[in-house]
Amino acid sequence: MVLDFGGICVKKILWVKFGWSEYYRGGLVDGNFGWLNENRGRKNEGRGHEAYNFMPAPDGDYRCYVPPQAKRYAPRNDDSTGWTVICLAKHPKYKGIHIVGWYEDANLLGTWQHPPEGELGAADVSYCVVSSSAFFVPPEKRTRPFSDKSVRQGKYSFLAGPGVKKDDGKRRVLRILEARLKTLRGDAIHNPSDENLPSPETDIADPLTILGTAEHRREVELAAERAVVAFYRRKGFSKLRVANQNCGYDYVFEKGRTALHVEVKGTSTAQERLFMTKNENGYRSDPRWRLGMVTDALSEKPRLRIYDNRGFEKAFDLEPLVFVGHRVVEP
């Protein structure tokens, strides 16, 4: 069987599943895996072996850790070279599995090895797959989870290749992964490194940079406001813009005795993604509060979804990205 994975025809393919990380460059790993659960609260809490799965080794290779399956087996095949290895992970707070990256022309070692002494992470990690060609999916591009019982239950599975027996479950997962990789290939970063990846420590100091330049963000903001105003105008509401008053929302829309305080957020992509100030977030408990979330804001057909606070809490997960420190006492 020859499969087209995003323009690359492959005959040997398997998926592997490990813990969730934003960048897999030595940071924390989360997930419902035995080792992570057993070591919570200890010295290595959150440092799963997969922490460096997309960080190049000194020789330029990428080394992938895969949790053991069954009797502590790592993925192996008599034909150990030339495999496409699709890397899956579950976000710890949401349902579904995401493709976080993949390796091409990979070698299956069949057992776990440790990096040479003195190499970064050598004391904390092991690996069982090696490749010189890795594709990393940035966290903001992991927007389309999928679910399949065969993936939920395993740590890895061979889908096509020498000695691989076909069944309906494998064919079903192959179809899903083939379609997803065709879409993700344009977003994935080939051979991620410090030079072509954002820095989790420095770039996040201005979290809005991932939404584009200031000029681009302003263009998206105005387009989103136009979409929200048009929506409420069609419903017979009058409007009052109060965005410059720093009251925690952008518009007051009124119709009869109904008054809605609407915060407008927009993106130029199909993903619902936003940043909220402390003032904006603090106002959500008011029953009049609404969020007008506009996606594809710069397209001919922007998409709008309105949330009240209850719907917002079900749909979004808010996490602090930056803390601002002010000295309150003299040293």
Side-chain angles (χ1 to χ4, degrees), residues 45-80:
E45 177 182 358
R47 183 61 61 86
H49 288 250
E50 57 268 74
Y52 296 93
N53 273 5
F54 286 96
M55 184 171 182
D59 61 4
D61 283 344
Y62 293 84
R63 302 165 176 167
C64 181
Y65 168 77
V66 182
Q69 183 161 271
K71 298 179 180 179
R72 300 193 60 81
Y73 289 143
R76 67 175 305 278
N77 190 283
D78 291 338
D79 184 351
S80 62

Side-chain angles (χ1 to χ4, degrees), residues 97-209:
I97 302 294
H98 292 266
I99 297 176
V100 298
W102 65 93
Y103 290 57
E104 293 181 353
D105 197 25
N107 296 335
L108 310 182
L109 304 181
T111 187
W112 295 275
Q113 300 186 22
H114 290 279
E117 185 176 353
E119 188 175 309
L120 183 63
D124 299 330
V125 302
S126 61
Y127 61 95
C128 56
V129 178
V130 176
S131 176
S132 61
S133 179
F135 290 80
F136 171 75
V137 179
E140 66 271 15
K141 300 297 183 180
R142 305 171 196 170
T143 60
R144 295 185 61 203
F146 70 94
S147 180
D148 190 276
K149 62 181 181 180
S150 65
V151 177
R152 291 196 303 268
Q153 295 169 354
K155 302 297 190 302
Y156 60 85
S157 178
F158 288 87
L159 299 179
V164 178
K165 296 181 180 179
K166 311 294 190 303
D167 60 38
D168 290 341
K170 293 181 186 294
R171 295 186 182 95
R172 182 175 62 246
V173 174
L174 272 171
R175 288 193 296 269
I176 295 173
L177 296 181
E178 183 177 11
R180 295 298 168 87
L181 259 69
K182 287 181 179 179
T183 301
L184 288 171
R185 182 167 288 275
D187 294 324
I189 298 173
H190 187 212
N191 288 355
S193 66
D194 288 342
E195 286 70 38
N196 61 11
L197 278 181
S199 167
E201 295 296 328
T202 58
D203 291 2
I204 206 63
D206 181 7
L208 294 180
T209 57

Side-chain angles (χ1 to χ4, degrees), residues 237-255:
F237 283 80
S238 64
K239 70 173 175 66
L240 175 65
R241 191 176 190 274
V242 295
N244 60 342
Q245 298 180 22
N246 196 32
C247 49
Y249 50 93
D250 295 318
Y251 282 90
V252 176
F253 292 102
E254 293 183 321
K255 180 180 179 182

Side-chain angles (χ1 to χ4, degrees), residues 119-120 161 281 301 310 330:
E119 188 175 309
L120 183 63
N281 189 48
K301 295 182 178 180
R310 184 177 180 182
E330 291 296 326

